[in-house]
């Protein structure tokens, strides 16, 4: 008979049906022992439920069918955790008068317990037949021992995979919510940051005391820093939400030069501890997204300021040569540990340096994605004397990628 089962038992039965080896195991048991009914049963303290069966005697049990637990020998196996083997019921002192063989009309019976990896009793692997059979021998015992262990192994493996899939789906959902939140937050922060910068510009144009001018300059420089963080957040969120940002290509080396010089000027308002040296030698026109190259440069320059040795110059070299465009930012400072080099361009990676506690770990990642979008690449070289981040791209290639 069938009944409505708790979800946990339905899951147990379903997992057994997902083990592709079970039908073959039951078939081999029948052929090896001469038994004509075999099954894997889920047995609890109050239920006996068929998971999978092979029925050649029309016993009538299919997946999900139940027997009254007290009418089965499996109930005793659950209690004592020991297999039961009966070659011929009528000749067995223990079972000749047992109610179960009389109720179900079998003469031969074998049932071995199935235990989970944690030792918990799951159910039984059993077989019956109306005729006597030769079961109580080492070959049959070893066969049932092997198959119960195999079923237990596969059952645990399936449940582990199911748990991992469930966890993965939950983490994916949480990640999507997190990135959506980041995108919304970054978008909504742009207006107040822009307003802050505008107010600082107005204050700087007024005839104010020197101390007020310094505070206004600090507010303006801080707003540039905030804008950079917001831009990186938005780029990361858009990329991971599947939107991406298509490059807006143009061919104007003079505009690029002007933009890079402007970025240097803006960065200088934030930092007064380093002298910035920039050499731009663009002999050839080429296609690129000017704003993205400016963003890449701003990230590299900001990184050099945060990690470079205080009061030491930061050098930028921007050139076109031999069909390549390159932009390299070099600073003095502590050598980047070799074990961290491979992770520098991964999102949210930080070196945990004392001078970078407020960093999000997105600047170098965004720079790397901008480079890839231009069919280029980012490289890093770090020694005890200097650290250099260098972006290179071919200037003759057709650029049509979508990047962050």
């Amino acid at each position: 008979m069938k009944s409505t089962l708790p979800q946990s038992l339905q899951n147990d039965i379903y997992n057994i049906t997902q083990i592709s080896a079970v039908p073959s195991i039951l078939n081999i048991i029948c052929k090896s022992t001469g038994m004509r009914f075999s099954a894997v049963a889920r047995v609890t303290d109050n239920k006996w439920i068929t998971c999978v069966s092979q029925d050649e005697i029309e016993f009538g049990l299919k997946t999900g069918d139940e027997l009254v637990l007290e009418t089965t020998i499996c109930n005793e196996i659950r209690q004592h955790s020991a297999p039961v083997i009966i070659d011929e019921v009528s000749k067995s002192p223990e079972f000749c008068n047992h109610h179960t063989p009389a109720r179900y009309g079998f003469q031969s019976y074998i049932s071995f317990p199935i235990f989970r990896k944690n030792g918990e009793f799951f159910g039984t692997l059993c077989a019956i037949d109306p005729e006597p059979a030769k079961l109580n021998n080492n070959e049959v015992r070893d066969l049932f021992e092997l198959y119960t262990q195999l079923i237990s192994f596969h059952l645990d493996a399936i449940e582990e995979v199911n748990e991992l899939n469930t966890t993965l789906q939950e983490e994916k959902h949480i990640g999507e919510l997190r990135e959506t939140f980041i995108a919304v937050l970054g978008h909504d922060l742009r207006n107040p940051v822009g307003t802050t910068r505008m107010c600082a510009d107005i204050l700087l144009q007024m005839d104010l005391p020197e101390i007020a001018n310094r505070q206004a300059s600090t507010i303006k420089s801080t707003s540039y820093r905030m804008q950079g963080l917001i831009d990186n957040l938005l780029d990361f969120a858009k990329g991971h939400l599947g939107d991406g940002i298509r490059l807006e290509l143009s061919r104007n080396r003079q505009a690029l030069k002007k933009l890079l010089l402007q970025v240097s000027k803006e960065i200088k308002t934030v930092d007064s501890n380093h002298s910035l040296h920039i050499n731009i030698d663009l002999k050839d026109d080429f296609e690129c997204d000017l704003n993205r190259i400016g963003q890449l440069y701003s990230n590299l320059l900001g990184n050099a300021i945060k990690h470079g040795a205080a009061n030491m110059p930061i050098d930028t070299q921007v050139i076109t040569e031999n069909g390549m465009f390159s932009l390299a930012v070099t600073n003095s400072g502590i050598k980047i540990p070799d074990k961290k080099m491979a992770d520098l361009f991964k999102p949210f990676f930080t070196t945990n340096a004392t001078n970078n506690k407020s960093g999000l770990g997105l600047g170098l990642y965004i720079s790397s994605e901008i480079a890839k979008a231009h069919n280029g690449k980012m490289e890093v070289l770090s020694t005890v004397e200097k650290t250099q981040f260098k972006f290179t791209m071919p200037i003759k290639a057709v650029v049509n990628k979508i990047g962050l």
Side-chain angles (χ1 to χ4, degrees):
M1 65 176 181
K2 288 182 182 290
S3 65
T4 302
L5 298 174
Q7 187 61 50
S8 60
L9 290 182
Q10 293 183 40
N11 292 340
D12 289 340
I13 296 168
Y14 176 77
N15 289 340
I16 290 292
T17 65
Q18 297 306 297
I19 303 174
S20 59
V22 167
S24 297
I25 289 173
L26 299 181
N27 185 51
I28 293 172
I29 285 175
C30 289
K31 290 185 180 300
S32 301
T33 63
M35 312 285 275
R36 287 173 287 173
F37 177 87
S38 59
V40 175
R42 176 71 172 99
V43 182
T44 70
D45 57 356
N46 58 11
K47 288 184 179 293
W48 189 105
I49 312 159
T50 308
C51 295
V52 181
S53 65
Q54 177 163 317
D55 189 357
E56 300 171 13
I57 58 174
E58 297 183 358
F59 192 59
L61 289 179
K62 298 179 181 179
T63 299
D65 289 344
E66 292 186 49
L67 294 177
V68 177
L69 180 63
E70 289 74 19
T71 68
T72 69
I73 297 176
C74 290
N75 186 39
E76 299 169 26
I77 296 172
R78 183 187 65 82
Q79 293 172 346
H80 303 296
S81 301
V84 172
I85 303 173
I86 310 171
D87 286 345
E88 189 172 353
V89 170
S90 61
K91 295 181 180 181
S92 170
E94 183 179 358
F95 291 98
C96 62
N97 296 317
H98 197 282
H99 60 86
T100 297
R103 180 184 181 99
Y104 295 114
F106 60 79
Q107 277 295 311
S108 53
Y109 176 91
I110 182 170
S111 183
F112 271 62
I114 299 171
F115 294 100
R116 304 299 302 274
K117 183 171 61 177
N118 61 4
E120 178 185 341
F121 178 79
F122 176 83
T124 60
L125 174 63
C126 55
I128 63 172
D129 197 275
E131 301 295 331
K134 299 293 185 180
L135 303 174
N136 200 3
N137 56 71
N138 290 335
E139 289 77 9
V140 173
R141 283 178 172 273
D142 290 345
L143 186 69
F144 271 75
E145 286 282 1
L146 173 64
Y147 285 153
T148 53
Q149 292 175 16
L150 185 62
I151 291 170
S152 175
F153 171 81
H154 280 287
L155 190 60
D156 285 324
I158 285 175
E159 292 198 347
E160 287 178 3
V161 170
N162 290 341
E163 289 176 3
L164 286 174
N165 285 336
T166 300
T167 301
L168 181 61
Q169 290 302 317
E170 290 175 354
E171 289 296 327
K172 182 179 178 182
H173 179 63
I174 292 172
E176 289 173 351
L177 291 176
R178 182 186 300 118
E179 285 161 10
T180 301
F181 170 76
I182 289 173
V184 172
L185 177 64
H187 183 271
D188 290 348
L189 283 174
R190 276 183 161 177
N191 286 338
V193 170
T195 301
T196 301
R197 184 184 305 133
M198 181 179 67
C199 291
D201 285 334
I202 293 173
L203 290 174
L204 289 171
Q205 294 172 11
M206 298 174 64
D207 186 15
L208 297 174
E210 180 61 25
I211 186 172
N213 275 326
R214 288 201 301 270
Q215 297 304 317
S217 296
T218 300
I219 293 171
K220 182 177 181 179
S221 64
T222 301
S223 71
Y224 279 115
R225 171 64 177 157
M226 292 171 63
Q227 186 63 55
L229 293 173
I230 292 170
D231 290 341
N232 284 341
L233 275 173
L234 284 173
D235 286 339
F236 177 78
K238 286 179 179 179
H240 280 250
L241 289 172
D243 296 336
I245 299 176
R246 187 175 296 275
L247 298 180
E248 297 180 4
L249 302 175
S250 62
R251 185 184 291 268
N252 190 332
R253 53 181 165 165
Q254 294 304 319
L256 178 60
K257 180 177 181 179
K258 181 179 179 181
L259 176 61
L260 296 179
L261 291 173
Q262 179 62 30
V263 170
S264 295
K265 182 179 179 181
E266 291 176 359
I267 294 292
K268 185 61 180 175
T269 65
V270 182
D271 173 75
S272 59
N273 295 324
H274 301 85
S275 58
L276 306 183
H277 302 158
I278 181 169
N279 176 43
I280 302 177
D281 186 11
L282 302 177
K283 296 183 175 67
D284 306 296
D285 275 331
F286 57 94
E287 286 190 332
C288 70
D289 186 320
L290 298 179
N291 289 328
R292 288 294 170 181
I293 299 299
Q295 183 183 4
L296 179 149
Y297 176 49
S298 177
N299 285 338
L300 296 186
L301 199 54
N303 186 72
I305 287 173
K306 284 185 289 185
H307 297 284
N311 301 316
M312 295 295 290
I314 296 172
D315 296 315
T316 299
Q317 186 83 6
V318 186
I319 61 173
T320 55
E321 188 176 37
N322 299 324
M324 300 292 291
F325 167 81
S326 66
L327 187 158
V329 177
T330 306
N331 63 269
S332 302
I334 299 173
K335 180 181 184 297
I336 300 173
D338 293 338
K339 63 181 180 180
K340 293 186 177 182
M341 292 284 278
D343 297 323
L344 287 174
F345 298 108
K346 293 181 179 179
F348 298 113
F349 175 81
T350 66
T351 58
N352 294 319
T354 55
N355 54 349
N356 190 36
K357 293 299 183 181
S358 63
L360 293 173
L362 286 175
L364 292 179
Y365 167 71
I366 299 298
S367 298
S368 177
E369 294 301 307
I370 292 173
K372 291 176 184 177
H374 284 85
N375 293 323
K377 61 181 179 179
M378 286 294 311
E379 298 174 292
V380 58
L381 171 68
S382 187
T383 67
V384 292
E385 289 86 17
K386 65 177 183 179
T387 293
Q388 182 185 84
F389 285 88
K390 186 176 183 180
F391 160 55
T392 57
M393 60 171 271
I395 63 176
K396 302 299 183 184
V398 177
V399 183
N400 56 11
K401 282 190 176 182
I402 298 176
L404 290 176

